Amino acid sequence: MNTKLTLTIEKEVIKIAKEYAKEKGLSLSEMVENYFKFVTVKRIKLKEKELSPKVRKLRGIIKSENDLDYKKILTEELSKKYGV
């Protein structure tokens, strides 16, 4: 069930967000909903059917090495970015 939500956001941010959403083939509502799902994923377990069709289609297509330590890679990249 969808429910209407009113947000107050700076005009320039909305303009840029609309352009970005259009480039990605999304509506602004879809983009905001996907963001909220992303930031709350640890609080709620998303069921397969709750994912957008685009996300469902992409799930599992990227394969990685079994011994890949993504936390180590993330730490290294953030260290480079912030000069730590």
Side-chain angles (χ1 to χ4, degrees):
M1 178 177 90
N2 289 336
T3 303
K4 187 173 183 173
L5 171 67
T6 302
L7 300 171
T8 304
I9 302 173
E10 293 177 20
K11 195 177 237 180
E12 186 64 22
V13 172
I14 293 171
K15 180 182 172 195
I16 294 168
K18 283 183 177 181
E19 290 171 4
Y20 179 83
K22 186 176 180 180
E23 289 171 10
K24 299 297 179 183
L26 298 169
S27 70
L28 204 49
S29 292
E30 287 175 305
M31 201 165 79
V32 170
E33 181 178 353
N34 289 341
Y35 174 75
F36 286 161
K37 285 179 179 179
F38 175 76
V39 298
T40 60
V41 73
K42 290 184 180 176
R43 295 181 185 226
I44 58 170
K45 295 288 182 184
L46 292 177
K47 296 178 185 169
E48 173 91 17
K49 67 179 180 177
E50 291 176 334
L51 298 174
S52 73
K54 289 181 182 179
V55 172
R56 273 195 304 253
K57 186 176 178 182
L58 294 173
R59 282 184 77 186
I61 66 168
I62 298 175
K63 304 296 181 201
S64 65
E65 302 169 12
N66 289 339
D67 60 345
L68 178 72
D69 186 356
Y70 75 91
K71 289 182 180 180
K72 179 182 175 190
I73 294 169
L74 178 61
T75 301
E76 290 170 356
E77 292 303 316
L78 290 173
S79 295
K80 285 182 203 174
K81 180 176 181 178
Y82 295 107
V84 179

Coordinates of all heavy atoms in Angstrom, one line a residue:
M1 N 0.8 -1.2 0.0 CA 0.0 0.0 0.0 C 0.9 1.2 0.0 O 1.7 1.4 0.9 CB -0.9 0.0 1.2 CG -1.8 1.2 1.3 SD -2.9 1.2 2.7 CE -1.9 2.0 4.0
N2 N 0.7 2.1 -0.9 CA 1.5 3.3 -1.0 C 0.7 4.4 -0.2 O -0.5 4.5 -0.2 CB 1.6 3.8 -2.5 CG 2.6 2.9 -3.2 OD1 3.4 2.3 -2.6 ND2 2.5 2.9 -4.5
T3 N 1.5 5.3 0.4 CA 1.0 6.4 1.2 C 1.7 7.7 0.7 O 2.9 7.6 0.5 CB 1.2 6.2 2.7 OG1 0.6 4.9 3.1 CG2 0.6 7.3 3.5
K4 N 1.0 8.7 0.7 CA 1.6 10.0 0.3 C 2.4 10.6 1.4 O 2.0 10.5 2.6 CB 0.5 11.0 -0.1 CG 1.0 12.3 -0.7 CD -0.2 13.1 -1.2 CE 0.4 14.4 -1.9 NZ -0.6 15.1 -2.6
L5 N 3.6 11.2 1.0 CA 4.5 11.8 2.0 C 4.9 13.2 1.5 O 5.2 13.3 0.3 CB 5.7 10.9 2.2 CG 6.9 11.5 3.0 CD1 6.5 11.7 4.4 CD2 8.1 10.6 2.9
T6 N 4.8 14.2 2.3 CA 5.2 15.5 1.9 C 6.6 15.8 2.5 O 6.7 15.6 3.7 CB 4.2 16.6 2.4 OG1 2.9 16.2 1.8 CG2 4.6 18.0 1.9
L7 N 7.5 16.2 1.7 CA 8.9 16.5 2.2 C 9.2 18.0 1.8 O 8.7 18.5 0.8 CB 9.9 15.7 1.5 CG 9.8 14.1 1.7 CD1 10.7 13.4 0.8 CD2 10.0 13.8 3.2
T8 N 10.0 18.6 2.7 CA 10.4 20.0 2.4 C 11.9 19.9 2.1 O 12.7 19.5 3.0 CB 10.2 20.9 3.7 OG1 8.8 20.8 4.0 CG2 10.6 22.3 3.4
I9 N 12.3 20.2 0.9 CA 13.7 20.1 0.4 C 14.0 21.3 -0.4 O 13.2 21.9 -1.1 CB 13.8 18.8 -0.5 CG1 13.4 17.6 0.3 CG2 15.2 18.7 -1.0 CD1 13.3 16.3 -0.5
E10 N 15.3 21.7 -0.3 CA 15.7 22.9 -1.1 C 15.4 22.7 -2.5 O 15.6 21.6 -3.1 CB 17.2 23.1 -0.9 CG 17.7 23.5 0.5 CD 19.2 23.6 0.7 OE1 19.9 23.7 -0.4 OE2 19.6 23.5 1.8
K11 N 15.0 23.8 -3.2 CA 14.6 23.8 -4.6 C 15.8 23.3 -5.5 O 15.5 22.5 -6.4 CB 14.3 25.2 -5.0 CG 13.5 25.4 -6.3 CD 13.2 26.8 -6.6 CE 11.7 26.9 -6.7 NZ 11.2 28.3 -7.0
E12 N 17.0 23.7 -5.3 CA 18.1 23.2 -6.1 C 18.4 21.7 -6.0 O 18.7 21.1 -6.9 CB 19.4 24.0 -5.8 CG 20.5 23.7 -6.7 CD 20.3 24.1 -8.1 OE1 19.5 25.0 -8.4 OE2 21.0 23.6 -9.0
V13 N 18.2 21.2 -4.7 CA 18.4 19.8 -4.5 C 17.3 19.0 -5.3 O 17.6 18.0 -5.9 CB 18.3 19.5 -3.0 CG1 18.3 18.0 -2.8 CG2 19.5 20.1 -2.3
I14 N 16.1 19.5 -5.3 CA 15.0 18.8 -6.0 C 15.3 18.8 -7.5 O 15.1 17.8 -8.2 CB 13.6 19.5 -5.7 CG1 13.3 19.3 -4.2 CG2 12.6 19.0 -6.6 CD1 12.1 20.1 -3.8
K15 N 15.8 20.0 -8.0 CA 16.1 20.1 -9.4 C 17.1 19.0 -9.8 O 16.9 18.3 -10.8 CB 16.6 21.5 -9.7 CG 16.9 21.7 -11.2 CD 17.4 23.1 -11.4 CE 18.0 23.2 -12.8 NZ 18.8 24.4 -13.0
I16 N 18.2 19.0 -9.1 CA 19.3 18.0 -9.4 C 18.8 16.6 -9.2 O 19.1 15.7 -10.0 CB 20.5 18.3 -8.5 CG1 21.1 19.7 -8.9 CG2 21.5 17.2 -8.6 CD1 22.1 20.2 -7.9
A17 N 18.0 16.3 -8.2 CA 17.5 15.0 -7.9 C 16.6 14.5 -9.1 O 16.6 13.4 -9.5 CB 16.8 14.9 -6.6
K18 N 15.7 15.4 -9.6 CA 14.8 15.1 -10.7 C 15.6 14.8 -11.9 O 15.3 13.8 -12.7 CB 13.9 16.3 -11.0 CG 12.7 16.3 -10.0 CD 11.8 17.5 -10.4 CE 10.6 17.5 -9.5 NZ 9.7 18.6 -9.8
E19 N 16.7 15.5 -12.2 CA 17.5 15.2 -13.4 C 18.2 13.9 -13.2 O 18.2 13.1 -14.2 CB 18.6 16.3 -13.5 CG 18.1 17.7 -13.9 CD 19.1 18.8 -13.9 OE1 20.3 18.5 -13.6 OE2 18.7 20.0 -14.1
Y20 N 18.7 13.6 -12.0 CA 19.4 12.3 -11.8 C 18.4 11.2 -12.0 O 18.7 10.2 -12.6 CB 19.9 12.3 -10.4 CG 20.6 11.0 -10.0 CD1 21.9 10.7 -10.4 CD2 19.9 10.0 -9.3 CE1 22.5 9.5 -10.1 CE2 20.5 8.8 -9.0 CZ 21.8 8.6 -9.4 OH 22.4 7.4 -9.1
A21 N 17.2 11.3 -11.4 CA 16.2 10.3 -11.5 C 15.8 10.0 -12.9 O 15.7 8.9 -13.4 CB 14.9 10.7 -10.7
K22 N 15.7 11.1 -13.7 CA 15.3 11.0 -15.1 C 16.4 10.2 -15.9 O 16.1 9.3 -16.7 CB 15.1 12.3 -15.8 CG 14.6 12.3 -17.2 CD 14.4 13.7 -17.7 CE 13.9 13.6 -19.2 NZ 13.6 14.9 -19.7
E23 N 17.7 10.5 -15.6 CA 18.8 9.8 -16.2 C 18.8 8.3 -15.9 O 19.1 7.5 -16.7 CB 20.1 10.4 -15.7 CG 20.4 11.7 -16.3 CD 21.7 12.4 -15.6 OE1 22.4 11.6 -14.9 OE2 21.9 13.6 -15.8
K24 N 18.3 8.0 -14.7 CA 18.3 6.6 -14.2 C 17.0 5.9 -14.6 O 16.9 4.7 -14.3 CB 18.5 6.5 -12.7 CG 19.9 7.1 -12.3 CD 21.0 6.3 -12.9 CE 22.3 6.8 -12.4 NZ 23.5 6.1 -13.0
G25 N 16.1 6.6 -15.2 CA 14.8 6.0 -15.6 C 13.9 5.7 -14.4 O 13.1 4.8 -14.4
L26 N 14.0 6.5 -13.3 CA 13.2 6.4 -12.1 C 12.4 7.6 -11.9 O 12.7 8.7 -12.4 CB 14.1 6.2 -10.9 CG 15.1 5.1 -10.8 CD1 16.1 5.2 -9.7 CD2 14.3 3.8 -10.6
S27 N 11.3 7.5 -11.1 CA 10.6 8.6 -10.6 C 11.3 9.1 -9.4 O 12.1 8.3 -8.7 CB 9.2 8.3 -10.3 OG 9.1 7.5 -9.2
L28 N 11.1 10.3 -9.0 CA 11.6 10.9 -7.7 C 11.1 10.0 -6.5 O 11.9 9.8 -5.6 CB 11.3 12.3 -7.6 CG 12.2 13.2 -6.7 CD1 13.7 13.0 -7.1 CD2 11.8 14.6 -6.8
S29 N 9.9 9.7 -6.6 CA 9.3 8.9 -5.5 C 10.0 7.5 -5.4 O 10.3 7.1 -4.3 CB 7.8 8.6 -5.8 OG 7.1 9.8 -5.6
E30 N 10.3 6.9 -6.5 CA 11.0 5.6 -6.5 C 12.4 5.7 -5.9 O 12.8 4.9 -5.1 CB 11.1 5.0 -7.9 CG 9.9 4.4 -8.5 CD 10.1 4.0 -9.9 OE1 10.6 4.8 -10.7 OE2 9.8 2.8 -10.2
M31 N 13.0 6.8 -6.3 CA 14.4 7.1 -5.8 C 14.4 7.3 -4.3 O 15.2 6.7 -3.6 CB 15.0 8.3 -6.5 CG 16.5 8.3 -6.5 SD 17.1 9.5 -7.7 CE 16.9 11.0 -6.8
V32 N 13.5 8.1 -3.8 CA 13.4 8.3 -2.3 C 13.0 7.0 -1.6 O 13.6 6.7 -0.6 CB 12.3 9.4 -2.0 CG1 12.1 9.6 -0.5 CG2 12.8 10.8 -2.6
E33 N 12.1 6.3 -2.1 CA 11.7 5.0 -1.5 C 12.8 4.0 -1.5 O 13.1 3.4 -0.4 CB 10.5 4.4 -2.3 CG 10.0 3.1 -1.6 CD 8.9 2.5 -2.3 OE1 8.3 3.1 -3.3 OE2 8.5 1.3 -2.0
N34 N 13.6 3.9 -2.6 CA 14.8 3.1 -2.6 C 15.8 3.5 -1.6 O 16.4 2.7 -0.9 CB 15.3 3.0 -4.0 CG 14.5 2.2 -5.0 OD1 13.6 1.4 -4.6 ND2 14.7 2.5 -6.2
Y35 N 16.0 4.8 -1.4 CA 16.9 5.3 -0.4 C 16.5 4.9 1.0 O 17.3 4.4 1.8 CB 17.1 6.8 -0.5 CG 18.0 7.4 0.6 CD1 19.3 7.2 0.6 CD2 17.4 8.0 1.6 CE1 20.1 7.7 1.6 CE2 18.2 8.5 2.7 CZ 19.5 8.3 2.6 OH 20.3 8.8 3.7
F36 N 15.2 5.1 1.3 CA 14.7 4.8 2.6 C 14.9 3.3 2.9 O 15.2 2.8 4.0 CB 13.3 5.2 2.8 CG 13.1 6.7 3.0 CD1 11.8 7.2 2.7 CD2 14.1 7.5 3.4 CE1 11.6 8.6 2.9 CE2 13.9 8.8 3.6 CZ 12.6 9.4 3.3
K37 N 14.6 2.5 1.8 CA 14.8 1.0 2.0 C 16.3 0.7 2.3 O 16.6 -0.1 3.1 CB 14.3 0.3 0.8 CG 12.8 0.2 0.6 CD 12.4 -0.5 -0.6 CE 10.9 -0.6 -0.8 NZ 10.5 -1.3 -2.0
F38 N 17.2 1.4 1.6 CA 18.6 1.1 1.7 C 19.0 1.5 3.1 O 19.8 0.7 3.8 CB 19.4 2.0 0.7 CG 20.8 1.9 0.9 CD1 21.5 0.8 0.5 CD2 21.6 2.9 1.4 CE1 22.9 0.7 0.6 CE2 22.9 2.9 1.6 CZ 23.6 1.7 1.2
V39 N 18.6 2.6 3.7 CA 19.1 3.0 5.0 C 18.4 2.3 6.1 O 18.9 2.3 7.3 CB 19.0 4.6 5.2 CG1 19.9 5.3 4.2 CG2 17.6 5.0 5.2
T40 N 17.3 1.6 5.9 CA 16.6 0.9 6.9 C 16.7 -0.6 6.8 O 16.1 -1.3 7.6 CB 15.1 1.3 7.0 OG1 14.5 1.0 5.7 CG2 15.0 2.8 7.3
V41 N 17.6 -1.1 5.9 CA 17.6 -2.5 5.6 C 18.0 -3.3 6.9 O 17.5 -4.4 7.0 CB 18.6 -2.8 4.4 CG1 20.0 -2.6 4.8 CG2 18.4 -4.2 3.9
K42 N 18.8 -2.8 7.8 CA 19.1 -3.5 9.0 C 18.0 -3.6 10.0 O 17.9 -4.5 10.8 CB 20.3 -2.9 9.6 CG 21.6 -3.1 8.8 CD 22.8 -2.6 9.6 CE 24.0 -2.8 8.7 NZ 25.2 -2.3 9.3
R43 N 17.0 -2.7 9.8 CA 15.9 -2.6 10.8 C 14.8 -3.5 10.3 O 14.0 -4.0 11.1 CB 15.4 -1.2 10.9 CG 16.4 -0.3 11.6 CD 15.9 1.1 11.8 NE 17.0 1.9 12.3 CZ 16.8 2.7 13.3 NH1 15.6 2.9 13.8 NH2 17.8 3.4 13.7
I44 N 14.6 -3.6 9.0 CA 13.6 -4.5 8.5 C 14.2 -5.4 7.4 O 15.1 -5.1 6.7 CB 12.4 -3.7 7.8 CG1 12.9 -2.8 6.7 CG2 11.6 -2.9 8.8 CD1 11.9 -2.2 5.8
K45 N 13.7 -6.6 7.4 CA 14.2 -7.6 6.4 C 13.3 -7.5 5.2 O 12.1 -7.7 5.3 CB 14.1 -9.0 7.0 CG 15.1 -9.3 8.1 CD 16.5 -9.3 7.6 CE 17.4 -9.6 8.8 NZ 18.8 -9.5 8.4
L46 N 13.9 -7.1 4.1 CA 13.1 -7.0 2.9 C 12.9 -8.3 2.3 O 13.8 -9.1 2.1 CB 13.9 -6.1 1.8 CG 14.0 -4.6 2.2 CD1 14.8 -3.9 1.1 CD2 12.7 -4.0 2.3
K47 N 11.7 -8.6 1.9 CA 11.4 -9.8 1.2 C 11.7 -9.6 -0.2 O 11.6 -8.5 -0.8 CB 9.9 -10.2 1.4 CG 9.6 -10.4 2.9 CD 8.1 -10.7 3.0 CE 7.8 -10.8 4.5 NZ 6.3 -10.9 4.7
E48 N 11.9 -10.7 -0.9 CA 12.2 -10.7 -2.4 C 11.2 -9.9 -3.1 O 11.5 -9.1 -4.0 CB 12.3 -12.1 -2.9 CG 12.5 -12.2 -4.4 CD 13.9 -12.2 -4.8 OE1 14.8 -12.5 -4.0 OE2 14.1 -12.0 -6.0
K49 N 9.9 -10.1 -2.8 CA 8.9 -9.4 -3.6 C 8.9 -7.9 -3.3 O 8.3 -7.1 -4.1 CB 7.5 -10.0 -3.4 CG 7.0 -9.8 -1.9 CD 5.7 -10.4 -1.8 CE 5.2 -10.2 -0.3 NZ 3.9 -10.7 -0.1
E50 N 9.5 -7.4 -2.2 CA 9.4 -6.0 -1.9 C 10.5 -5.2 -2.7 O 10.5 -4.0 -2.7 CB 9.6 -5.8 -0.4 CG 8.4 -6.2 0.4 CD 8.7 -6.1 1.9 OE1 9.8 -6.1 2.3 OE2 7.7 -6.0 2.6
L51 N 11.5 -5.9 -3.3 CA 12.5 -5.2 -4.0 C 11.9 -4.8 -5.4 O 11.1 -5.4 -5.9 CB 13.7 -6.2 -4.3 CG 14.4 -6.7 -3.0 CD1 15.4 -7.7 -3.4 CD2 15.1 -5.5 -2.3
S52 N 12.5 -3.7 -5.9 CA 12.0 -3.2 -7.2 C 12.4 -4.3 -8.2 O 13.3 -5.0 -8.1 CB 12.6 -1.9 -7.5 OG 14.0 -2.0 -7.8
P53 N 11.6 -4.3 -9.3 CA 11.9 -5.3 -10.4 C 13.4 -5.1 -10.9 O 14.0 -6.1 -11.2 CB 10.9 -4.9 -11.5 CG 9.8 -4.2 -10.8 CD 10.4 -3.5 -9.6
K54 N 13.9 -3.9 -11.0 CA 15.3 -3.7 -11.5 C 16.3 -4.4 -10.5 O 17.2 -5.0 -11.0 CB 15.6 -2.2 -11.6 CG 14.8 -1.6 -12.8 CD 15.2 -0.1 -12.9 CE 14.4 0.5 -14.0 NZ 14.7 1.9 -14.2
V55 N 16.1 -4.2 -9.2 CA 17.0 -4.8 -8.2 C 16.9 -6.3 -8.3 O 17.9 -7.0 -8.2 CB 16.7 -4.2 -6.8 CG1 17.5 -5.0 -5.8 CG2 17.0 -2.7 -6.7
R56 N 15.7 -6.8 -8.3 CA 15.5 -8.3 -8.4 C 16.2 -8.9 -9.6 O 16.9 -9.9 -9.5 CB 14.0 -8.6 -8.5 CG 13.3 -8.8 -7.2 CD 12.0 -9.5 -7.3 NE 11.2 -8.8 -8.3 CZ 10.1 -8.1 -8.0 NH1 9.7 -8.0 -6.7 NH2 9.4 -7.5 -8.9
K57 N 16.2 -8.2 -10.7 CA 16.8 -8.6 -12.0 C 18.3 -8.6 -11.8 O 19.0 -9.5 -12.4 CB 16.4 -7.7 -13.1 CG 16.9 -8.2 -14.5 CD 16.3 -7.2 -15.5 CE 16.8 -7.7 -16.9 NZ 16.4 -6.8 -18.0
L58 N 18.9 -7.7 -11.0 CA 20.3 -7.6 -10.9 C 20.9 -8.5 -9.8 O 22.1 -8.7 -9.8 CB 20.7 -6.1 -10.6 CG 20.4 -5.2 -11.8 CD1 20.7 -3.7 -11.4 CD2 21.3 -5.5 -13.0
R59 N 20.1 -8.9 -8.9 CA 20.6 -9.7 -7.7 C 21.4 -10.9 -8.2 O 20.9 -11.7 -9.0 CB 19.5 -10.2 -6.8 CG 19.0 -9.1 -5.9 CD 17.9 -9.6 -5.0 NE 18.6 -10.3 -3.9 CZ 18.0 -11.0 -3.0 NH1 16.7 -11.1 -3.0 NH2 18.6 -11.6 -2.1
G60 N 22.6 -11.1 -7.7 CA 23.4 -12.3 -7.9 C 24.2 -12.3 -9.2 O 24.8 -13.3 -9.5
I61 N 24.2 -11.2 -10.0 CA 24.9 -11.2 -11.2 C 26.4 -11.0 -11.1 O 27.2 -11.3 -11.9 CB 24.3 -10.3 -12.3 CG1 24.5 -8.8 -11.9 CG2 22.9 -10.6 -12.6 CD1 24.2 -7.9 -13.0
I62 N 26.8 -10.4 -10.0 CA 28.2 -10.1 -9.7 C 28.8 -11.2 -8.9 O 28.3 -11.5 -7.8 CB 28.4 -8.7 -9.0 CG1 27.8 -7.6 -9.9 CG2 29.8 -8.5 -8.7 CD1 27.8 -6.2 -9.3
K63 N 29.8 -11.8 -9.4 CA 30.5 -12.9 -8.7 C 31.9 -12.3 -8.3 O 32.5 -11.5 -8.9 CB 30.8 -14.0 -9.7 CG 29.5 -14.6 -10.3 CD 28.6 -15.2 -9.3 CE 27.3 -15.7 -10.0 NZ 26.2 -15.9 -9.1
S64 N 32.3 -12.8 -7.1 CA 33.6 -12.3 -6.5 C 34.4 -13.5 -6.0 O 33.8 -14.6 -5.9 CB 33.4 -11.3 -5.4 OG 32.7 -11.9 -4.3
E65 N 35.6 -13.3 -5.7 CA 36.5 -14.3 -5.2 C 35.9 -14.7 -3.8 O 35.4 -13.9 -3.1 CB 37.9 -13.8 -5.0 CG 38.5 -13.4 -6.3 CD 39.8 -12.6 -6.1 OE1 40.4 -12.7 -5.0 OE2 40.3 -12.0 -7.1
N66 N 36.0 -16.0 -3.4 CA 35.5 -16.4 -2.2 C 36.2 -15.8 -1.0 O 35.7 -15.6 0.1 CB 35.6 -17.9 -2.1 CG 34.6 -18.6 -3.0 OD1 33.6 -18.0 -3.4 ND2 34.8 -19.9 -3.3
D67 N 37.5 -15.5 -1.2 CA 38.3 -14.9 -0.1 C 38.4 -13.4 -0.1 O 39.2 -12.8 0.5 CB 39.7 -15.5 -0.1 CG 40.5 -15.2 -1.4 OD1 39.8 -14.8 -2.3 OD2 41.7 -15.4 -1.4
L68 N 37.4 -12.8 -0.8 CA 37.4 -11.3 -0.9 C 37.0 -10.7 0.5 O 36.0 -11.1 1.1 CB 36.3 -10.9 -1.9 CG 36.1 -9.4 -2.1 CD1 37.4 -8.8 -2.8 CD2 34.9 -9.1 -2.9
D69 N 37.9 -9.8 1.0 CA 37.6 -9.2 2.3 C 37.2 -7.8 2.0 O 38.0 -6.8 1.9 CB 38.9 -9.2 3.2 CG 38.6 -8.7 4.6 OD1 37.5 -8.2 4.8 OD2 39.6 -8.7 5.4
Y70 N 35.8 -7.6 1.8 CA 35.3 -6.3 1.4 C 35.5 -5.2 2.5 O 35.7 -4.0 2.2 CB 33.9 -6.4 1.0 CG 32.9 -6.5 2.1 CD1 32.3 -5.3 2.7 CD2 32.5 -7.7 2.6 CE1 31.5 -5.5 3.8 CE2 31.7 -7.8 3.7 CZ 31.1 -6.7 4.3 OH 30.3 -6.8 5.3
K71 N 35.5 -5.6 3.8 CA 35.8 -4.7 4.8 C 37.2 -4.1 4.8 O 37.4 -2.9 5.0 CB 35.5 -5.3 6.2 CG 34.0 -5.6 6.5 CD 33.8 -6.2 7.8 CE 32.3 -6.5 8.1 NZ 32.1 -7.0 9.4
K72 N 38.1 -4.9 4.5 CA 39.5 -4.5 4.3 C 39.6 -3.5 3.2 O 40.3 -2.4 3.3 CB 40.4 -5.7 4.1 CG 41.9 -5.3 4.0 CD 42.8 -6.5 3.8 CE 44.2 -6.1 3.5 NZ 45.0 -7.2 3.1
I73 N 39.0 -3.9 2.0 CA 39.1 -3.0 0.8 C 38.4 -1.7 1.1 O 38.9 -0.6 0.8 CB 38.5 -3.7 -0.4 CG1 39.3 -5.0 -0.8 CG2 38.3 -2.8 -1.6 CD1 38.6 -5.9 -1.7
L74 N 37.3 -1.7 1.8 CA 36.5 -0.5 2.1 C 37.4 0.4 3.0 O 37.5 1.6 2.8 CB 35.2 -0.8 2.7 CG 34.3 0.3 3.2 CD1 34.0 1.2 2.0 CD2 33.1 -0.2 3.9
T75 N 38.0 -0.2 4.0 CA 38.8 0.6 4.9 C 40.0 1.2 4.2 O 40.3 2.4 4.4 CB 39.4 -0.4 6.0 OG1 38.3 -1.0 6.7 CG2 40.2 0.4 7.0
E76 N 40.6 0.5 3.3 CA 41.7 1.0 2.5 C 41.3 2.2 1.6 O 42.0 3.2 1.6 CB 42.4 -0.1 1.7 CG 43.1 -1.1 2.5 CD 43.6 -2.3 1.6 OE1 43.2 -2.4 0.4 OE2 44.2 -3.2 2.1
E77 N 40.2 2.0 1.0 CA 39.7 3.1 0.1 C 39.3 4.3 0.8 O 39.5 5.4 0.4 CB 38.5 2.5 -0.8 CG 39.0 1.5 -1.8 CD 40.1 2.0 -2.7 OE1 40.0 3.1 -3.3 OE2 41.0 1.2 -3.0
L78 N 38.6 4.1 2.0 CA 38.2 5.3 2.8 C 39.5 6.0 3.4 O 39.5 7.2 3.5 CB 37.3 4.9 3.9 CG 35.9 4.5 3.5 CD1 35.1 3.9 4.6 CD2 35.2 5.6 2.8
S79 N 40.5 5.2 3.7 CA 41.7 5.8 4.2 C 42.4 6.7 3.1 O 42.9 7.7 3.4 CB 42.7 4.7 4.6 OG 42.2 4.0 5.8
K80 N 42.4 6.1 1.9 CA 42.9 6.9 0.8 C 42.1 8.2 0.6 O 42.7 9.3 0.4 CB 42.9 6.1 -0.5 CG 43.9 5.0 -0.6 CD 43.7 4.3 -2.0 CE 44.3 2.9 -2.0 NZ 44.0 2.2 -3.3
K81 N 40.8 8.1 0.6 CA 40.0 9.2 0.3 C 40.1 10.3 1.3 O 40.2 11.5 1.0 CB 38.5 8.8 0.3 CG 37.5 9.9 0.0 CD 36.1 9.4 -0.1 CE 35.1 10.5 -0.4 NZ 33.8 10.0 -0.6
Y82 N 40.2 9.9 2.6 CA 40.3 10.9 3.7 C 41.7 11.2 4.2 O 41.9 11.9 5.2 CB 39.3 10.5 4.8 CG 37.9 10.6 4.3 CD1 37.2 9.4 4.1 CD2 37.3 11.8 4.1 CE1 35.9 9.5 3.7 CE2 36.0 11.8 3.6 CZ 35.3 10.7 3.5 OH 34.0 10.7 3.0
G83 N 42.7 10.5 3.6 CA 44.1 10.7 3.9 C 44.4 10.3 5.4 O 45.2 11.0 6.0
V84 N 43.9 9.2 5.8 CA 44.1 8.7 7.2 C 45.2 7.7 7.1 O 45.3 6.9 6.3 CB 42.8 8.1 7.8 CG1 43.1 7.6 9.1 CG2 41.7 9.1 7.8

